[in-house]
Amino acid sequence: MKTCKRLTYTRKIQWRIRALWALLAGMLVYMFVIGELGGGDSRIMTPLAGRFSRIVFFGGLVYVVWRIRQNKKLLRSRQLLQQQMKTELDERNQYLHDKSGGIVADILLAILLFVTLTASMFDMAAFYTAFSVLAAAILLKAAAYWFYSHQDGERPL
């Protein structure tokens, strides 16, 4: 069984494109299910919840389509692929990502975003709670990233 470490960078990009297509399909199914369950009723939603849900969902759709296009563009151009690979494998970028929470924080933010989006369509008390937690998590990740990116000198081991 192959692991991600054994895949070439080109294969990783191909898998990303497949994952993004699956995410896009999941988002469309999610929209259909929310509509069928009666979520997103503007009579219940506050203006903040309405704006948040529209920005996150439709902005997310645009972002996913944009990322699919960008990754396909990488596969067509060997030079762009090499530049992206150097950027992703850059030791400083990996250090900053790891110190600001790494993949665990990224997954947590995605889960919080999904929970907040769903709550915005059904329950305003749950929405404001989830929104506060999401905002705090984003601020903490951004602050950690900023702090470690502005440190001088040698990195501690």
Side-chain angles (χ1 to χ4, degrees):
M1 180 173 197
K2 288 186 177 182
T3 64
C4 289
K5 293 182 184 200
R6 296 181 196 203
L7 294 176
T8 64
Y9 191 68
T10 302
R11 293 291 294 161
K12 286 180 184 179
I13 297 296
Q14 291 170 340
W15 276 105
R16 282 183 195 167
I17 292 170
R18 290 181 190 123
L20 288 167
W21 277 113
L23 177 62
L24 186 64
M27 290 174 78
L28 295 174
V29 168
Y30 174 81
M31 182 170 50
F32 177 77
V33 169
I34 291 295
E36 287 297 313
L37 293 175
D41 187 353
S42 62
R43 295 172 292 177
I44 299 171
M45 296 172 72
T46 63
L48 176 62
R51 280 192 303 273
F52 178 83
S53 64
R54 281 191 297 276
I55 289 169
V56 168
F57 187 77
F58 294 110
L61 283 174
V62 169
Y63 177 76
V64 169
V65 169
W66 178 75
R67 290 300 306 160
I68 290 170
R69 288 181 50 112
Q70 289 298 107
N71 283 320
K72 285 187 175 188
K73 188 187 222 183
L74 287 176
L75 291 178
R76 286 191 298 267
S77 170
R78 178 68 107 194
Q79 182 182 8
L80 289 175
L81 186 68
Q82 292 294 331
Q83 288 174 347
Q84 181 67 24
M85 186 171 70
K86 284 181 184 178
T87 302
E88 282 186 25
L89 297 178
D90 180 51
E91 190 175 311
R92 178 147 174 85
N93 289 340
Q94 288 179 349
Y95 171 78
L96 291 173
H97 182 258
D98 290 344
K99 284 296 189 178
S100 65
I103 189 70
V104 173
D106 294 344
I107 292 169
L108 177 65
L109 287 173
I111 291 169
L112 285 171
L113 189 64
F114 173 74
V115 167
T116 307
L117 177 62
T118 303
S120 74
M121 296 193 204
F122 292 103
D123 184 5
M124 292 307 99
F127 165 70
Y128 283 109
T129 302
F131 186 75
S132 299
V133 172
L134 175 64
I138 290 170
L139 287 174
L140 286 171
K141 181 165 177 74
Y145 191 90
W146 181 84
F147 175 77
Y148 286 110
S149 68
H150 287 82
Q151 277 190 334
D152 293 331
E154 289 288 317
R155 282 186 258 162
L157 293 176

